[in-house]
Amino acid sequence: MRRYILAHDLGSSGNKATLFDEKGRMVASKVSHYAMNVFNQNWAEQDPGVWWKAVCESSKSVLSQIDPKEVAAVSFSGQMMGCLCVDKDGRPLYNSLLYCDQRSTEQAEEMIKKVGFNRIYQICGHRPSASYSLSKLMWIRAKKPEVFEKTYKILQAKDYMNFRLTGNFATDYNDASGTNAFDLHQHAWSHEILDPVGISVDKFPEAVPSYTRIGKVTKAASKECGILEGTDVIVGSGDGGCASMGAGSVSFGKPYCYMGSSSWVSIASKAPVDDPDMIAFTWAHPAQENLYQPCATMQTAGASISWFARNFMGDESGKTLDRMNKLSDSSPIGSNGLFYLPYLVGERSPWWNPKAKGGFIGLTAATNINDCCKALFEGIAMNLGINISVMLKEVPDRDVMFIGGGALNMSMRQLLADVFGCRIIIPQFLTEATSMGAALLGGVGCGLYKDYSIIESMNPVQSAILPDMHAHEFYQKHTELFKQAYKGLEEWFNVQ
Amino acid sequence: MANLILTHNLGTKGDRACIYDESGSLVSSWLETYPCYYAMGDRAEQNPMDWWRAICVSTKKVMRGINEKDIDVITFSGQMMGCLCIDRFGQPLGNAIIWSDVRSKKEAQKLSEQIDGNLFFQITGHKLSPSYTLSKLLWVKNNESDKFANTSKILQAKDFIVYKLTGNMVTDYSDASGTNMFNLKKRKWSRTILSIADIAPQILPDVCPSTAIVGKVTMEAAMETNLLPGTPVVIGGGDGITAAIAGGCTSEKDAYLYYGSSAWIGLCKKKIFMDSKKRIFNWAMDDKAMVSPCGTMQAAGVSLDWMNSEVSLEERDQARAQGALVQDIIEQEILHTAVGSKGVMFLPYLSGERSPYWNPDATGAFVGIRKDTSRHDLFRACYEGVALNLKSIWNIFQPINNARQLVLLGGQSCSKFNRQLIADALGITVVTHDHVRDSKNFGSAILGGIGIGIYKNFDVVKKLLHYDSALEPNPDHVAFYNGRLPLFQYAYTCLVPFYQKMRNDEGEGHVVV
């Protein structure tokens, strides 16, 4: 019986292969690591060959534990917003420029000039910037014309893996919505953006729904990766989309918060968020075509806590986090007037200011380390609170799923409940969301799973934290002070 | 041994008693501490009987092995700007409201609507503010009317002790000039201000020079202190002036920086310095022709102490293991870190601020933290924040400042790291001498010595002090801090709306949960 889904999570530091059975249970998993080449400060590349090697290695490892005939489908979650140029035969012409590569700022300026900042946001749901695929492709055109000339398609990481498995070029709506070139409303590559910058629509692969079966594993691929020839390949989606699915955000509403090094809040909505401040950005939702996935990402959530632990607590171990929880709990709500601005590498949502910086504001002679810990947590929570408020007005739901390593932080759970004024829901698995999302798309795409609701048994709810509504009221006012601290310093960040 | 001078400095933490011989050498020293009662964020009080008890204890301790007949004079330095109400029997009416108390904001505000700010500054040499005696007295009048009705005199800390020793209630020019009620040029209580504030002049003590002999130790006081009855008592001065004397600040070419818990820069001038923004104030010096323009920041050493005790857990463990001081370990660690703390700035407004901003609502901050910011950057930022704030004050003096070097006093001047940083930040040669830790006592010893004729005049100070070799500023660092200052000041400016919003919300009870 074909009863397994092989789900791959192709991240920035490695690929994780996970086998899920017909009931959604995790059976085996294996991570194969690879490196990121970072140079010139903010250039970042990967050789797509190392992705394939990691996929083959990890596939073989997990398949050795079952009968490969029992695999119903392969599916991917992948890092997004990259730019990999391949020729007609699918051969990479250059390393893939990664999501965090910032070399194409000049090209981003060019497209903003030609199409208009707000218009691009309206069309593709994202602010135009050097983070996305289009400006990166324009950089290739400008600086590596010989590469651009031979470029047949530009692919996202998982799309290249799908090509290696099936020989077919395709991408899905979700990954397409991370290119700055995709019309979110029409689900089509945008002539309105691409024509003025002089990039042909044909450079982009056909975009399909994320659960689409795009082919079968070829004989040649099978030899390399150990997945049987003829196994169904489901296109899958970007890791942002897969994480949402894994966090149970598979139908309208369903807010959730992911917290790792960075942190984001997201929902499933019926339309892209119409926000004049453009705090959030919107992906195409992988679950179905009439859903969207507005999202607001802050840069340094867990990274702030690690920074503090490393510098002031000696290390970043779990024990240290427990200690910080205790310290934080000994400071009253509001940290005796101390505020932490969590902007250690600039900020995306809500301020979109790469020059923003971190700070502790409101120190007095009576401020102690407890207040510092509490303010650290509160600053992160209030920043997310600003972000989620844009989302919550779109949906009736007031239960927020909390996933990622940051959800292990007990103080943070309660703080998010209090700041959001929402119930915080903790599922059994906190760090498997992307793999689960890929498995859901694979399972539903090949027919092994009836629908996405299997996520409820795949990752059952473990506990719920109730908000203290008095604290919520306090934090609503407190957030205004937090905003004032940032806004006051905004000009200072710019001149520093 | 003969010709000894017994001095007391009544600080916030305690009373330090020091005995000096004629050559200015420290013979013995004792610190007796007493509590300070802080409340409600803006209140600070001390019990005057704690002061007296400390005086009695420290006198006995410091006199061990010394014949009381050898004490030629007893004199004082003291915390200033307080408000102690005394009844007609000479009994204190409750605690003294001390210098750092700012509860009387409303009184100061109301008074500022009744008198022109420039006129007020011209008369007193100070800005009208809740830090001074006048508004504190008005607070007592408005909030404790019985106590006010029973008040027959208002005294400063050292004046109360002088009263306990001699039975005479007087004050000196310097302490009088810290009350917001004193006419600095005429050296008299200001009738204009007293009548506007509706304060009867009789409530204020007579004012005399800081070198005046104001009485002798009474029998009763002798019983309590073991001093010889009849020993002369010279009134001495407020600690702003005793520090100036110890800073060798006795001519128009001198400048000093006192860097202790708080820090101030002072000069010595013939004319009151009328800073257009009133960021600087002026103390009366003993010489009627001289004033000491001065700018005080609140949390200098306090900022470093805060850093030592709250954000340096690792260094604290190390210090305990090695039996060393936390601050010494930190200074070792940051000695070779980059000047400028990788862009992080520390605003040292942990207790609001006086000079240069006079904003009681200001709070401290670290701003400009990046992912690669280390603990050491934050430590260095604390030092640099205090130094840059002092640079702000230093620059205000620019129109009248012709000092070639700066004398550093106070506990923090013992740190070589700090001395070099001050030289670099202010761009001036820095020296210290052998009386930086007991500077206020030393300054009062000079007043006492002049008072009884051991010394002829203030020229003696520079002869008695032993200066160490001068530290020159590093020109690269000077250029760096010159460029840094506007950015440092701008960070404060950017946060002013936040401070205001915080205060408004506190007013609505937001902070109390």
Side-chain angles (χ1 to χ4, degrees), chain B residues 230-337:
Chain B
T231 310
V233 175
V234 166
I235 180 93
D239 57 6
I241 279 305
T242 52
I245 295 165
C249 195
T250 54
S251 85
E252 290 209 292
K253 277 179 281 177
D254 299 319
Y256 79 102
L257 161 62
Y258 180 90
Y259 193 165
S261 296
S262 66
W264 62 80
I265 295 170
L267 270 53
C268 177
K269 293 287 160 187
K270 286 197 172 122
K271 270 167 96 180
I272 297 175
F273 179 39
M274 299 288 289
D275 172 43
S276 57
K277 293 181 185 161
K278 305 184 185 72
R279 296 163 295 185
I280 297 301
F281 50 86
N282 300 267
W283 302 121
M285 299 200 75
D286 186 64
D287 180 343
K288 273 189 175 183
M290 300 297 252
V291 293
S292 177
C294 184
T296 297
M297 66 173 288
Q298 296 274 83
V302 165
S303 290
L304 303 182
D305 290 345
W306 173 80
M307 167 191 83
N308 293 342
S309 70
E310 290 310 328
V311 288
S312 52
L313 303 185
E314 273 183 42
E315 286 73 13
R316 258 157 60 195
D317 291 346
Q318 271 185 52
R320 220 171 289 135
Q322 301 172 13
L325 291 174
V326 182
Q327 190 170 331
D328 290 345
I329 289 172
I330 289 176
E331 285 172 15
Q332 277 300 316
E333 287 177 348
I334 65 174
L335 196 56
H336 300 294
T337 56

Side-chain angles (χ1 to χ4, degrees), chain A residues 307 311-312 314 323 339 344 358-365 367-369 474 477-478 480-481 484 488 491-492 496, chain B residues 306 310-311 313-314 343 350 363-371 373-375 378 487 490-491 494 497 505 510 513:
Chain A
W307 173 82
N311 275 296
F312 298 104
R323 206 165 126 229
F339 291 82
L344 300 186
F360 282 95
I361 323 286
L363 297 167
T364 72
T367 301
N368 57 30
I369 193 87
F474 172 88
K477 280 190 173 177
H478 210 54
E480 293 307 311
L481 287 161
Q484 179 62 61
E491 264 309 300
W492 186 80
Q496 207 203 4
Chain B
W306 173 80
E310 290 310 328
V311 288
L313 303 185
E314 273 183 42
L350 300 185
T363 50
F366 284 108
V367 290
I369 299 174
R370 307 273 307 173
K371 205 173 177 182
T373 300
S374 73
R375 180 172 80 249
L378 297 189
L487 216 51
Y490 189 47
C494 286
D505 282 19
H510 165 57
V513 174

Side-chain angles (χ1 to χ4, degrees), chain A residues 158-276:
Chain A
K158 71 153 199 334
D159 302 334
Y160 178 63
M161 292 300 98
N162 285 335
F163 169 79
R164 290 297 293 256
L165 287 172
T166 66
N168 297 331
F169 292 114
T171 192
D172 77 304
Y173 293 156
N174 179 257
D175 243 342
S177 66
T179 59
N180 253 184
F182 190 69
D183 187 326
L184 201 54
H185 310 267
Q186 311 294 328
H187 290 97
W189 299 108
S190 168
H191 279 283
E192 193 183 338
I193 295 171
L194 292 171
D195 293 354
V197 299
I199 300 270
S200 163
V201 174
D202 300 333
K203 293 272 189 215
F204 292 88
E206 185 194 351
V208 296
S210 309
Y211 49 82
T212 307
R213 191 183 334 211
I214 51 146
K216 289 176 185 301
V217 174
T218 64
K219 191 172 178 183
S222 173
K223 265 192 198 156
E224 288 185 71
C225 68
I227 309 168
L228 287 194
E229 182 188 354
T231 306
D232 280 343
V233 177
I234 309 298
V235 65
S237 87
D239 51 13
C242 281
S244 287
M245 304 276 292
S249 190
V250 294
S251 55
F252 176 67
K254 308 272 182 165
Y256 80 99
C257 173
Y258 163 86
M259 191 181 292
S261 168
S262 67
S263 178
W264 64 77
V265 289
S266 182
I267 51 165
S269 68
K270 287 175 180 154
V273 167
D274 182 22
D275 171 22

